[in-house]
């Protein structure tokens, strides 16, 4: 009898504790403090990710094309989208979401002018950037450093550039307008960048 009368309140308190924790943790994730994939919330400010990456386009959070299968927005753009498109005007700063070494800074086919940064088994691609590169191959980049500017829609003097707009002017890869195409490859495979934010 003594056993029961002592433990019933203990179990009651434990139950209340577990119940309140289980409701509290999902409530945190609703508001984005815990990593979760809520596409509709991406018009709100996102800065620090669950992986401790920094959002690559400060001040610009509107995603105009998500990762995965889609209708090709323009000729030469894939139906499988290996990254995300972030709307941002020409000249906007692009920052390194993670530290790493620059392994590529050049025109990269449909991606247009592109900077690649490697960190371990991850490669970060920042595409349709300005042809006036701010970094060079071999350079070590700190997370948060400005590595490029969002490029213009049209670029000139790229040898054998097959990408053109409806007026026949050469474009910065397969693109319909200024934006940042941001991609992450893990062990060489494209992964959804939003999984890291
Ligand atoms: Zn894209």
């Amino acid at each position: 009898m003594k056993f029961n009368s002592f433990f019933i309140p203990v179990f009651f308190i434990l139950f209340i504790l577990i119940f309140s924790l289980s409701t509290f943790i999902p409530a945190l994730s609703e508001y984005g403090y815990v990593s979760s994939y809520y596409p509709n919330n991406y018009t709100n400010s996102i800065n620090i990710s669950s992986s401790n990456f920094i959002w690559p386009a400060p001040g610009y959070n509107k995603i105009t094309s998500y990762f995965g299968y889609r209708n090709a927005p323009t000729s030469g753009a894939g139906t499988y989208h290996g990254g995300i498109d972030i709307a941002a005007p020409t000249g906007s700063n692009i920052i390194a979401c993670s530290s790493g070494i620059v392994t590529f800074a050049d025109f990269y086919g449909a991606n247009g002018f592109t900077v690649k940064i490697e960190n371990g088994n991850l490669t970060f691609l920042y595409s349709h950037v300005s042809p006036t590169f701010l970094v060079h191959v071999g350079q070590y980049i700190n997370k948060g450093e400005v590595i490029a500017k969002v490029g213009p829609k049209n670029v000139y003097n790229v040898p054998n550039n097959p990408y053109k707009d409806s007026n026949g002017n050469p474009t910065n890869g397969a693109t319909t307008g200024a934006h940042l195409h941001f991609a992450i490859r893990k062990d060489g495979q494209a992964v959804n960048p939003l999984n890291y934010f």
Side-chain angles (χ1 to χ4, degrees):
M1 289 311 144
K2 269 188 175 176
F3 179 86
N4 278 349
S5 56
F6 176 73
F7 277 97
I8 285 168
V10 171
F11 283 125
F12 181 73
I13 289 164
L14 271 175
F15 175 78
I16 296 292
L17 267 175
I18 290 164
F19 180 77
S20 56
L21 275 176
S22 67
T23 51
F24 183 62
I25 291 167
L28 276 180
S29 80
E30 288 284 344
Y31 291 99
Y33 296 109
V34 173
S35 162
S36 285
Y37 180 43
Y38 287 111
N40 294 334
N41 287 351
Y42 278 89
T43 48
N44 298 327
S45 168
I46 328 161
N47 289 306
I48 303 294
S49 75
S50 57
S51 313
N52 212 20
F53 291 167
I54 300 179
W55 187 244
Y60 298 97
N61 299 319
K62 191 178 176 211
I63 294 170
T64 50
S65 186
Y66 287 92
F67 175 86
Y69 288 95
R70 62 173 185 177
N71 295 320
T74 180
S75 165
T79 51
Y80 181 76
H81 195 214
I84 56 172
D85 291 343
I86 306 164
T90 301
S92 306
N93 283 336
I94 300 168
I95 61 176
C97 73
S98 161
S99 60
I101 302 279
V102 178
T103 56
F104 183 92
D106 206 339
F107 196 80
Y108 188 50
N111 286 48
F113 286 101
T114 294
V115 172
K116 286 189 202 180
I117 294 178
E118 281 188 27
N119 186 338
N121 65 342
L122 295 177
T123 305
F124 305 89
L125 285 86
Y126 305 86
S127 294
H128 309 303
V129 305
S130 167
T132 307
F133 287 112
L134 306 177
V135 296
H136 59 264
V137 171
Q139 187 178 344
Y140 181 81
I141 301 295
N142 289 300
K143 180 168 71 176
E145 211 174 303
V146 175
I147 48 159
K149 303 277 185 179
V150 171
K153 175 188 166 191
N154 295 110
V155 291
Y156 300 90
N157 307 318
V158 177
N160 307 314
N161 179 4
Y163 303 100
K164 290 179 172 53
D165 63 17
S166 53
N167 300 318
N169 294 316
T171 54
N172 194 350
T175 179
T176 55
H179 70 278
L180 169 64
H181 172 90
F182 173 58
I184 301 179
R185 290 178 188 164
K186 185 180 183 184
D187 298 315
Q189 294 286 325
V191 292
N192 187 351
L194 292 184
N195 290 345
Y196 293 83
F197 289 88

